[in-house]
């Protein structure tokens, strides 16, 4: 009888790289799933679910994302301070006007696992409103749509 084994990559053996994603004209949800997959490392052949295999991602032009339907007015972001009367609600339209990077960041982080692996992956996400970024030293590879 043949014994087969599945290769499980170790944390020290993970090859890391950086990706540059241009958000101009892309739909928020579809962009977020691609970025979350890159952060988790699901695009790699050595992907192991319990090991942090992901790469770093730089998202540019976050202010030029699109949303479909009536989400600009109906999608509400909430935060609660913990005090009575401390609930803050803000529609997506106002959030994009105030902080366009926050909408992309929240969408991507919401698609990551809620455990230490997800928190570590979220630290490798960088989102910028305009076309410039300070991560030239990481030599990010441009990801096509």
């Amino acid at each position: 009888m043949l014994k087969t084994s599945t290769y499980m990559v170790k944390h020290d053996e993970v090859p890391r790289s950086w990706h540059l994603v241009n958000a101009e004209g892309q739909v928020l949800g579809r962009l977020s799933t691609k970025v979350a997959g890159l952060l988790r490392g699901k695009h790699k052949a050595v992907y192991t679910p319990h090991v942090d295999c992901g790469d770093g991602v730089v998202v540019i032009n976050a202010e030029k994302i699109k949303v479909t339907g009536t989400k600009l007015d109906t999608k509400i972001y909430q935060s609660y301070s913990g005090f009575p009367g401390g609930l803050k609600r803000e529609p997506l339209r106002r959030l994009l006007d105030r902080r366009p990077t926050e909408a992309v960041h929240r969408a991507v982080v919401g698609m990551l696992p809620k455990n230490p692996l997800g928190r570590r992956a979220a630290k490798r996400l960088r989102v910028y409103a305009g076309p410039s970024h300070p991560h030239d030293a990481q030599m990010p590879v441009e990801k096509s749509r």
Side-chain angles (χ1 to χ4, degrees):
M1 185 163 187
L2 276 174
K3 182 180 177 186
T4 60
S5 63
T6 303
Y7 176 70
M8 297 287 184
V9 69
K10 277 57 164 194
H11 176 71
D12 301 336
E13 302 171 353
V14 176
R16 302 264 186 209
S17 62
W18 281 78
H19 302 278
L20 180 66
V21 177
N22 191 352
E24 184 174 1
Q26 294 199 42
V27 178
L28 177 62
R30 293 177 185 267
L31 170 78
S32 301
T33 55
K34 291 176 187 173
V35 172
L38 291 171
L39 289 170
R40 287 284 319 269
K42 289 194 162 195
H43 62 288
K44 295 182 179 181
V46 294
Y47 171 71
T48 306
H50 64 277
V51 177
D52 184 19
C53 302
D55 294 338
V57 179
V58 177
V59 179
I60 58 172
N61 290 323
E63 63 190 3
K64 298 178 183 176
I65 61 164
K66 294 191 307 188
V67 290
T68 58
T70 60
K71 290 187 194 81
L72 280 175
D73 299 314
T74 59
K75 183 165 183 59
I76 305 292
Y77 289 94
Q78 298 186 81
S79 63
Y80 183 59
S81 67
F83 291 96
L87 180 65
K88 294 181 183 178
R89 304 175 119 216
E90 185 174 32
L92 178 60
R93 183 183 303 273
R94 195 167 3 152
L95 183 67
L96 286 175
D97 290 340
R98 193 172 60 88
R99 288 180 67 191
T101 60
E102 184 68 20
V104 175
H105 190 269
R106 279 190 180 198
V108 173
V109 170
M111 293 181 184
L112 294 174
K114 279 62 174 175
N115 58 26
L117 284 177
R119 288 188 287 275
R120 186 182 296 174
K123 289 180 183 177
R124 287 191 307 271
L125 173 64
R126 307 287 191 265
V127 183
Y128 297 98
S132 62
H133 63 87
H135 300 285
D136 292 329
Q138 282 76 26
M139 295 181 289
V141 178
E142 182 134 11
K143 289 301 273 189
S144 61
R145 296 179 188 224

